[in-house]
Amino acid sequence: MAKDKNNTIVDRAWDFMASIKLAIILFALISLTSIVGTILEQNAAPSKNIQVLGSLFGESLAPTLYVAFEKLGFMDMYRSWWFLMLLMLIAANLLICSLDRLPRTWRLVKDPMKPLSKEHMAAIPLKREFTIKGKPGAAKDAVMKAVKKTGVKVMESSEGGDIQLYGERRRLSRLGVYVTHLSVIVMLVGSVIGIFFGFKGNVNIPEGATYTVAFARTGMLTPAQDNEQNMIIRAVENARGDVAVAANSLGVEEDHLRARMRRLGVIPLEFGLRLDNFDVDFYGMSDMAKEYSSVLTVVDGGREIIKKRIEVNDPLKYKGITFYQSSYGLMPPGDYRYILRATSRNGATETMTVRKGETFTIPGTSVEASVAEFNASLAFDPSGRPFTYAQFMNNPAVRLEIKTGQESYLKWIMKRNSNTWRLTSGDVIELRDVIGAQYTGLQVRRDPGVWMVYLGCALMSLGLYIAFFMNHRKVWVMLSPAKGGTDITVAASANKNREALERKIDRMVSLLREGEK
Amino acid sequence: MSPLDTVFFWISIGLYGLTSALYIYSFIFKNDRVLGRISYFIGAAFLVHTAAILARYAAVGNLPVAGGYENGLGGSWVVVLFTLYAVIRHKGLRAVGVATLPFALVLLGYGVMSSPELVPMGVSVKSFWLYVHVFFAWLAFGAFTLAAGTGVLYLLKAKDPDREFYEKFPGLPRLDDLMFRYVVFGFITDAVMITSGAIWARDLWGSYWGWDPVETWSLVTWVIYGLGIHLRVTMGWKGRRFAWIVIFALPGILITYFGINFFVETSLHVFEAWQEI
């Protein structure tokens, strides 16, 4: 910035902080480090990145390079001090450059437009001069009409025998660039609020269980910390999520307990979240998932407040905390309950929930059955032996032991294949669902800064729109008496899109000249 | 690919190849007559290309918005669409295809080499925001490509301004202005693309920004264009300098658009491994 010549160090530092040079240096640094950050997997197991480095620089160098990069913070670079500092410097650069330029723009915006002297008018590049018939006073109305067509609000002044018509439009559009710059700062502030006052955790809830805590991602815990974490979780769960009660039962101060929780990555939810059912929908008979869904119930103060089926892209929100469907898996064999629907030959139907080994009767018949075996992903090898083909519940099946007076046999019933439901006796047993076999993995987020980030997005749209699609346009028309008519001088300026203005001015001029004929 | 999809796809590849060859021929031999008729070839190729997309839509049930092949199919379509727009709007700009048409051809080729299988949409990409996101990504992608093509024309003409062959191109100030307009359009649509992606990411992963490689790259490229605009507006980097900026920025867009996965496989934007979201 070319300001006054008294270049003190403070002035020079200010100018540097406001310069686009600094912006380029900062963004170059961010880009270069980001490239490293996208090649090295963030927060990954060391072996993965050693392999990446090995493929780029050779096996022998890889471990040394890994240590070097790790020391520099590249394994978690977007949270490293120097990356955050770069972002802060960008914010400072943006802020200072805006503050540096704002006063001048503000003067342009604040002061109403003034008529121009002839000399000033002569200095404006976009100019048209011509003569029309009639005295200035008589020609004025036609000129006024023509000037209005350029979109400006017309004012009038006269000096000597000269009349000047002038006007401007969208003076405030000069501020668009500041709105845009401000929006970036608003977003950054919002994200900092999110980092300091929000949290990012996850929790795996088995079907039927209620959780009152979530887990933030922390580093590895020592066995002692692991024990302490378990103790805290149990206390919080027993207290139904009430940290004060949990602290009381542990015999510690509530603040102390909260501090320990933060250290150990346990986040109390202050309410309970129960998983009623988790389900995967598949495309046809394939193993390609179509939808994952968890039926969740919020239990607060002993009452069920909300029951919602969440899906990927459709989370549950409660008390500022949002739960996202993010993963799932199979529980180790335990208390599974099988929901079976039996329909007898003569049409009597009953749905029942049984555990392994519990005998039930098909309604209206004397056929008895019980679950002998469960397989989460049943398949048969070429010799007909059953095996489990996936780690998930892709093809749940129960092997029923069926007793019909005379005989007793085993039969596999698959949930997804209705051909397997019919027994030789003509009765039908359908596997509706298995409860307790799966858990749902939820992302748990609280981000009190998000509204500011969105506000920043909105401000940015507004700012970009103003900055690029609106311009500050000024038009001056001088009418001076001349021999046999009026000399007209048209001058115009715009802070951008001058071509369009020039076309407008030419149209205006031809309009005036046509009016002559 | 479905059979119909395949047929249209390869015909359009052939037509784009032919058109690109004609472009290069006319530029090397400074042949005006070929260039004069080239819009018909672009139009024909574009129609067949559109048919390929419709056939794909019929087979798989969604617009080409996910995966390498679909991105290649969609991205090149947008590039050609923007080229056609420029050709129809400004006759002199028909030469811009010398840069954009071979580019579209490479995109298609890359697409078919990556993963042309017919797959239904993965769970994570089923969102209203995906369409907003992809739509604006297309607009930005097309505009930036057109800007780079205009930049190429600018540099050619600036190097040899008196050559008769270049006379039919728009004048240098006009080319410069168009280049800037395309960049501004791309810059704004790119901003919408990033924002809608962030909103979608929040619904999906719980946070609007995670420094995922694709997010990072899209931000970096957006910032590069932003800096280009600032350099032009505040420091007067017009013409040749600006042309070089828009040409050099394009590879960044390409990397972002195809989701970085030709370098690394750690991106969440590679949607296959859902269990690990």
Side-chain angles (χ1 to χ4, degrees):
Chain A
M1 297 271 46
K3 286 210 265 177
D4 353 318
K5 284 282 168 251
N6 60 343
N7 265 335
T8 66
I9 289 192
V10 178
D11 283 345
R12 265 186 285 168
W14 173 271
D15 286 351
F16 179 67
M17 281 307 291
S19 67
I20 194 162
K21 208 193 286 173
L22 176 64
I24 290 175
I25 295 172
L26 290 174
F27 281 120
L29 283 173
I30 286 192
S31 307
L32 290 175
T33 50
S34 293
I35 291 171
V36 180
T38 54
I39 290 170
L40 293 173
E41 191 176 336
Q42 299 294 297
N43 299 307
S47 60
K48 257 188 170 168
N49 281 323
I50 291 177
Q51 200 187 335
V52 171
L53 288 168
S55 64
L56 289 173
F57 302 104
E59 299 287 330
S60 52
L61 266 176
T64 329
L65 278 174
Y66 180 83
V67 174
F69 275 120
E70 176 159 42
K71 282 252 159 67
L72 291 170
F74 273 100
M75 299 307 153
D76 189 9
M77 68 162 267
Y78 300 110
R79 274 185 292 185
S80 66
W81 65 270
W82 52 264
F83 193 78
L84 293 177
M85 196 188 71
L86 285 177
L87 292 181
M88 288 303 135
L89 279 173
I90 296 241
N93 178 229
L94 212 54
L95 196 65
I96 293 176
C97 113
S98 304
L99 288 177
D100 192 58
R101 284 154 189 265
L102 189 60
R104 273 187 305 158
T105 314
W106 188 244
R107 240 171 287 140
L108 286 171
V109 169
K110 195 184 63 181
D111 296 341
M113 194 183 167
K114 289 192 192 81
L116 278 186
S117 67
K118 278 192 171 154
E119 299 79 64
H120 276 112
M121 217 156 172
I124 289 178
L126 174 50
K127 211 158 52 248
R128 299 287 183 270
E129 283 161 305
F130 55 97
T131 309
I132 58 172
K133 281 180 218 141
K135 290 261 168 291
K140 198 183 81 183
D141 285 346
V143 175
M144 173 100 72
K145 236 170 111 187
V147 176
K148 270 190 185 149
K149 284 243 162 82
T150 62
V152 302
K153 217 173 121 194
V154 188
M155 290 176 289
E156 185 184 335
S157 82
S158 51
E159 202 189 320
D162 298 345
I163 298 177
Q164 191 172 152
L165 300 174
Y166 60 97
E168 64 182 336
R169 88 186 219 133
R170 292 188 173 155
R171 192 153 36 127
L172 285 173
S173 75
R174 286 188 184 266
L175 294 175
V177 60
Y178 301 98
V179 176
T180 312
H181 286 180
L182 180 70
S183 75
V184 175
I185 291 171
V186 169
M187 279 186 225
L188 280 173
V189 171
S191 69
V192 169
I193 291 176
I195 290 169
F196 285 103
F197 300 101
F199 67 79
K200 192 176 187 175
N202 57 287
V203 65
N204 291 341
I205 310 180
E207 283 173 325
T210 307
Y211 265 63
T212 55
V213 288
F215 303 93
R217 266 172 231 150
T218 57
M220 299 296 283
L221 295 177
T222 64
Q225 287 173 324
D226 203 42
N227 276 341
E228 190 183 351
Q229 192 199 43
N230 282 333
M231 195 174 72
I232 292 175
I233 294 168
R234 233 174 297 130
V236 175
E237 285 184 339
N238 288 340
R240 293 179 158 270
D242 190 328
V243 181
V245 175
N248 202 18
S249 75
L250 289 168
V252 294
E253 292 288 315
E254 189 182 338
D255 288 344
H256 172 78
L257 181 60
R258 284 186 188 275
R260 289 309 296 164
M261 283 175 157
R262 269 199 294 280
R263 176 73 194 79
L264 299 169
V266 183
I267 300 159
L269 296 178
E270 323 258 314
F271 57 86
L273 187 68
R274 187 178 73 216
L275 175 68
D276 295 321
N277 192 16
F278 174 80
D279 239 329
V280 186
D281 259 356
F282 296 95
Y283 280 106
M285 292 302 286
S286 78
D287 277 351
M288 181 169 285
K290 193 174 175 184
E291 196 57 83
Y292 307 89
S293 60
S294 301
V295 178
L296 296 172
T297 304
V298 172
V299 186
D300 196 353
R303 288 192 306 128
E304 293 187 1
I305 308 288
I306 311 174
K307 193 180 184 100
K308 182 179 175 180
R309 180 173 181 270
I310 68 160
E311 294 171 357
V312 179
N313 282 320
D314 183 17
L316 164 74
K317 290 189 184 118
Y318 185 68
K319 283 196 171 168
I321 300 178
T322 316
F323 300 90
Y324 300 87
Q325 181 70 63
S326 85
S327 75
Y328 71 108
L330 211 51
M331 295 296 292
D335 185 27
Y336 291 6
R337 273 147 298 142
Y338 307 97
I339 301 177
L340 299 165
R341 184 160 74 182
T343 309
S344 71
R345 270 156 299 180
N346 40 42
T349 288
E350 196 184 331
T351 302
M352 51 212 125
T353 306
V354 297
R355 290 184 163 80
K356 194 166 162 180
E358 281 178 5
T359 304
F360 60 93
T361 314
I362 297 178
T365 69
S366 59
V367 180
E368 287 189 331
S370 64
V371 174
E373 205 180 321
F374 170 71
N375 193 320
S377 289
L378 178 68
F380 297 98
D381 67 12
S383 62
R385 245 195 313 266
F387 69 101
T388 307
Y389 72 90
Q391 294 170 358
F392 297 96
M393 206 167 89
N394 283 4
N395 186 23
V398 286
R399 199 171 197 190
L400 293 181
E401 185 173 5
I402 295 155
K403 293 191 192 113
T404 66
Q406 316 89 350
E407 54 162 358
S408 155
Y409 63 98
L410 291 162
K411 175 174 173 52
W412 281 107
I413 293 193
M414 300 181 202
K415 179 177 176 229
R416 294 176 62 194
N417 186 349
S418 58
N419 295 331
T420 61
W421 299 345
R422 188 168 290 275
L423 309 182
T424 44
S425 55
D427 306 310
V428 171
I429 300 180
E430 181 185 343
L431 176 60
R432 300 285 287 175
D433 207 353
V434 185
I435 298 293
Q438 298 186 96
Y439 68 81
T440 187
L442 304 174
Q443 281 255 20
V444 187
R445 282 281 283 176
R446 199 168 79 99
D447 189 346
V450 74
W451 67 272
M452 258 189 108
V453 174
Y454 285 167
L455 176 73
C457 288
L459 270 180
M460 177 171 281
S461 324
L462 181 73
L464 287 177
Y465 182 81
I466 296 173
F468 289 119
F469 296 115
M470 290 184 171
N471 60 54
H472 182 199
R473 176 185 295 168
K474 296 183 192 174
V475 180
W476 298 267
V477 182
M478 178 84 88
L479 295 86
S480 329
K483 218 173 7 167
T486 302
D487 277 342
I488 293 190
T489 311
V490 179
S493 77
N495 61 340
K496 49 190 135 19
N497 206 358
R498 293 185 187 92
E499 284 186 10
L501 179 64
E502 194 161 356
R503 282 197 294 272
K504 271 217 151 72
I505 294 298
D506 282 337
R507 218 174 303 140
M508 178 184 120
V509 169
S510 63
L511 205 73
L512 282 172
R513 289 191 148 157
E514 260 165 42
E516 272 299 278
K517 287 170 201 162
Chain B
M1 287 194 271
S2 75
L4 211 55
D5 182 11
T6 316
V7 170
F8 287 134
F9 178 83
W10 287 107
I11 295 177
S12 60
I13 282 238
L15 285 171
Y16 283 136
L18 179 68
T19 318
S20 303
L22 288 174
Y23 261 121
I24 291 163
Y25 168 84
S26 69
F27 265 74
I28 289 177
F29 296 99
K30 313 287 180 215
N31 187 327
D32 252 345
R33 286 195 13 247
V34 173
L35 206 54
R37 298 193 175 82
I38 211 153
S39 333
Y40 302 112
F41 289 92
I42 308 176
F46 183 71
L47 282 182
V48 180
H49 190 169
T50 311
I53 288 177
L54 292 177
R56 173 94 183 171
Y57 179 83
V60 77
N62 57 262
L63 287 169
V65 290
Y69 173 73
E70 296 198 344
N71 282 338
L73 199 63
S76 53
W77 187 81
V78 173
V79 168
V80 181
L81 181 72
F82 272 71
T83 308
L84 274 176
Y85 162 81
V87 167
I88 291 167
R89 190 79 202 272
H90 315 279
K91 249 197 165 169
L93 261 193
R94 68 162 82 90
V96 83
V98 74
T100 58
L101 262 276
F103 184 68
L105 187 64
V106 171
L107 290 184
L108 275 180
Y110 171 75
V112 76
M113 285 189 318
S114 49
S115 53
E117 308 87 43
L118 284 172
V119 275
M121 273 171 123
V123 178
S124 57
V125 295
K126 275 191 232 157
S127 160
F128 160 74
W129 290 108
L130 171 74
Y131 285 96
V132 178
H133 182 61
V134 172
F135 179 68
F136 281 94
W138 278 0
L139 292 182
F141 189 66
F144 286 144
T145 310
L146 200 52
T150 317
V152 170
L153 293 192
Y154 186 94
L155 291 176
L156 285 174
K157 184 157 177 167
K159 206 174 124 200
D160 202 358
D162 301 323
R163 191 140 208 163
E164 201 190 336
F165 179 69
Y166 297 137
E167 240 165 47
K168 291 208 174 132
F169 294 7
L172 285 178
R174 181 79 184 131
L175 279 176
D176 182 52
D177 185 52
L178 283 173
M179 203 159 59
F180 182 59
R181 277 160 193 267
Y182 297 147
V183 167
V184 166
F185 182 81
F187 184 69
I188 291 171
T189 48
D190 205 19
V192 179
M193 185 275 280
I194 295 175
T195 309
S196 59
I199 295 173
W200 174 28
R202 188 174 150 74
D203 278 352
L204 182 59
W205 299 310
S207 68
Y208 48 82
W209 196 264
W211 294 105
D212 168 86
V214 174
E215 289 173 347
T216 309
W217 271 94
S218 63
L219 183 68
V220 166
T221 45
W222 184 71
V223 163
I224 289 173
Y225 282 104
L227 282 178
I229 291 172
H230 277 82
L231 284 171
R232 189 188 158 102
V233 172
T234 65
M235 317 252 294
W237 281 38
K238 292 190 167 188
R240 230 180 262 226
R241 284 176 166 181
F242 196 67
W244 281 116
I245 292 178
V246 296
I247 291 169
F248 274 112
L250 195 65
I253 287 294
L254 201 60
I255 293 170
T256 312
Y257 183 76
F258 277 103
I260 193 111
N261 24 6
F262 42 53
F263 288 142
V264 282
E265 275 153 19
T266 59
S267 170
L268 289 173
H269 279 71
V270 183
F271 284 105
E272 279 101 61
W274 188 83
Q275 279 87 13
E276 288 300 321
I277 278 185

